Amino acid sequence: MPALAVGVPEELSARVPVEQREPGLDRGGVRLLVSRGTEVSHHAFAELPGLLRAGDLLVVNTSPTLAAAVDGRVGHARVVVHFSTRGDDGRWAVELREPDGRGTTRARAEMTGTTHARTDVTGVTRARAEEGEGVEGRGCGGLAGTRVRLPGGARLVLEEPLSARGERLWWARVSGAVVPALLREHGRPIRYSYTERDQPLSVYQTVFALPYADGTGSAEMPSAARPFTAGLVAELVSRGVQFAPVTLHTGVASAESHEPPYPERFTVPEASARLINAARAGDGRVVAVGTTAVRAVESAAGADGVVRARAGWTDLVVTPERGVRVVEGLLTGLHEPEASHLLMLEAVAGRAAIDRGYEAAVRGRYLWHEFGDVHLLLP
């Protein structure tokens, strides 16, 4: 999907949550753009119950947001470690970034310091960082063997890239600390440059978030669900709208290059699979709350469109070519015109609907990103 032809003015970035922008409003005080095909209408999010009908099913992600950004040092250089995903072997996928002087971070363009070369058994010379030293890198944020000093005496060592696609994310091993405890004590939510200031972790938790015994969660908030409040959920239930909880622990997004998502851990429980299949068999519409919910449900759907209980890792990337087998509608935030998530939106609603909706969002001065307004795509 080529980038959308709309430009998003910088002033349309939501820099703080709506409840801080507009005193007297709660997190549900955002605007709601509704697309039915190429027909567009404008609403307050509080009107959502009237836009759905009895028998509709909302699929929601229960993953909690982690305080996934931790300060560290490589030699004398300051870095910020973004903890993305816990692996089955106890390692974590991480991204090393550098402070930008404004309270946020930027891609780590290069590393400075002393490089120590060694030759491994295959005869390939590799750069390895010794304790307390930096590495002359290749603009990828790290090299195998790079050592990072973390708060409380913890250490992190980069071992290998997460994917052959690039070296932004690395598998790393942490010693001297248990990562969930490290994040609770020393971490803060990942923050991007369009935001105004750091926010407490509670700002990034959705009403559907559940704690997980192993301390895992999402590196970034499943933000489409942020406007929901307990009161709105109760109203939806009273009108016959059902909820199907799933889990997808989302990793660190690519802030600069908008690359497709990496494999992520997900769960679709048996009870939710039954609810989804029952809605599809009846008159209800299956509406995913967020692209994370789409990825989870579609990963559990067979070619026959039947959803079965599943848990594990998914590398599914939903594109127009693959299409969707289960999801009929989507509630989502507004994505940058070049974002890879737009392929999923096109798979759900079609390119014409996305073009028309985004043109209307810009004209209507809707706000973008995780603290912004939301977009409901219906059949």
Side-chain angles (χ1 to χ4, degrees):
M1 178 179 184
L4 295 179
V6 300
V8 182
E10 187 177 345
E11 64 268 21
L12 295 187
S13 292
R15 303 192 182 283
V16 296
V18 62
E19 61 271 27
Q20 297 175 19
R21 295 194 303 269
E22 303 286 344
L25 294 182
D26 61 18
R27 58 172 56 200
V30 297
R31 299 169 67 195
L32 175 64
L33 179 74
V34 178
S35 293
R36 294 181 178 87
T38 56
E39 295 182 5
V40 175
S41 57
H42 304 275
H43 305 267
F45 186 74
E47 297 175 58
L48 179 65
L51 298 167
L52 300 175
R53 59 191 187 217
D56 284 346
L57 180 70
L58 293 177
V59 182
V60 297
N61 187 359
T62 61
S63 180
T65 308
L66 300 176
V70 178
D71 293 324
R73 285 189 178 273
V74 175
H76 299 295
R78 294 174 57 212
V79 297
V80 179
V81 182
H82 286 176
F83 284 84
S84 182
T85 305
R86 184 181 63 82
D88 293 333
D89 59 0
R91 296 185 299 176
W92 280 74
V94 303
E95 181 181 13
L96 260 60
R97 296 177 67 85
E98 62 183 25
D100 63 2
R102 300 189 299 272
T104 53
T105 63
R106 58 184 167 229
R108 204 159 174 245
E110 64 179 359
M111 290 155 287
T112 60
T114 305
T115 299
H116 291 264
R118 70 175 175 89
T119 302
D120 63 18
V121 292
T122 64
V124 178
T125 300
R126 304 169 68 188
R128 183 175 184 179
E130 300 297 340
E131 183 69 45
E133 296 175 340
V135 181
E136 291 172 350
R138 295 168 291 182
C140 59
L143 287 174
T146 297
R147 299 170 186 261
V148 183
R149 301 194 307 278
L150 298 172
R155 296 285 190 275
L156 177 150
V157 180
L158 301 187
E159 293 191 347
E160 60 182 329
L162 181 66
S163 166
R165 246 197 272 156
E167 296 181 342
R168 181 177 67 87
L169 290 175
W170 285 75
W171 285 118
R173 199 169 294 279
V174 176
S175 60
V178 177
V179 171
L182 176 74
L183 301 186
R184 286 194 298 271
E185 186 170 354
H186 300 289
R188 61 186 179 277
I190 290 174
R191 178 186 155 208
Y192 291 114
S193 58
Y194 49 77
T195 56
E196 185 174 294
R197 57 181 175 268
D198 285 346
Q199 298 285 348
L201 185 59
S202 60
V203 165
Y204 290 87
Q205 300 295 6
T206 75
V207 71
F208 305 111
L210 297 173
Y212 285 78
D214 62 0
T216 54
S218 288
E220 298 180 356
M221 172 176 55
S223 56
R226 189 182 188 277
F228 284 87
T229 62
L232 186 72
V233 170
E235 183 179 352
L236 286 163
V237 170
S238 73
R239 290 173 176 246
V241 176
Q242 294 182 296
F243 289 83
V246 300
T247 302
L248 187 133
H249 295 315
T250 183
V252 175
S254 172
E256 287 80 25
S257 60
H258 301 289
E259 62 200 27
Y262 285 84
E264 293 166 321
R265 194 187 294 270
F266 82 105
T267 302
V268 175
E270 177 66 37
S272 293
R274 288 200 302 267
L275 283 169
I276 294 166
N277 293 330
R280 297 189 71 240
D283 295 327
R285 297 168 295 184
V286 177
V287 179
V289 178
T291 57
T292 61
V294 176
R295 195 181 202 198
V297 169
E298 293 293 325
S299 296
D304 56 1
V306 175
V307 176
R308 297 170 176 87
R310 282 194 62 192
W313 292 87
T314 177
D315 60 1
L316 175 66
V317 178
V318 178
T319 64
E321 291 72 30
R322 189 269 188 188
V324 286
R325 298 170 178 172
V326 176
V327 172
E328 300 165 85
L330 173 60
L331 180 72
T332 182
L334 293 164
H335 304 282
E336 293 175 334
E338 61 275 10
S340 62
H341 287 311
L342 291 173
L343 289 169
M344 181 184 287
L345 272 61
E346 184 180 350
V348 173
R351 177 63 189 253
I354 305 307
D355 284 341
R356 178 73 180 87
Y358 271 64
E359 289 167 3
V362 172
R363 283 201 309 271
R365 310 292 290 175
Y366 281 71
L367 296 183
W368 256 250
H369 303 304
E370 67 264 34
F371 297 141
D373 298 313
V374 285
H375 186 191
L376 177 62
L377 300 157
L378 290 174

